[in-house]
């Protein structure tokens, strides 16, 4: 299916947000996620199914002062 990952087009067979994160190398990382502009908590990623055309944002926390 066709997705957008952080604004870039992506062709993926990942059925869930958790599977997509694992496939794209974010599996063990502490990140925040959103699908189509809605925040998806880590506890719901495995049950959040993806559909063709979804826009996924993956954000890593930043440190600073």
């Amino acid at each position: 299916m066709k997705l957008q990952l952080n604004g870039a087009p992506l062709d993926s067979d990942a059925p869930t947000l958790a599977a997509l994160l694992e496939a794209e190398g974010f599996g063990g990382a502490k990140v925040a996620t959103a699908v189509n502009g809605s925040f998806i908590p880590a506890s719901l990623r495995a049950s959040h199914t993806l559909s063709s055309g979804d826009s996924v944002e993956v954000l890593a926390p930043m440190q600073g002062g």
Side-chain angles (χ1 to χ4, degrees), residues 36-63:
N36 300 326
S38 296
F39 172 72
I40 307 296
S43 61
L44 297 179
R45 290 176 188 160
S47 63
H48 188 93
T49 57
L50 296 172
S51 300
S52 187
D54 280 350
S55 178
V56 179
E57 297 291 330
V58 179
L59 305 169
M62 297 179 66
Q63 288 184 307

Side-chain angles (χ1 to χ4, degrees), residues 3-34:
L3 302 171
Q4 291 279 322
L5 178 60
N6 290 343
L10 176 70
D11 199 6
S12 175
D13 293 328
T16 65
L17 180 56
L20 178 68
L21 293 175
E22 188 68 34
E24 294 301 314
F26 296 105
K30 292 196 180 281
V31 294
T33 55

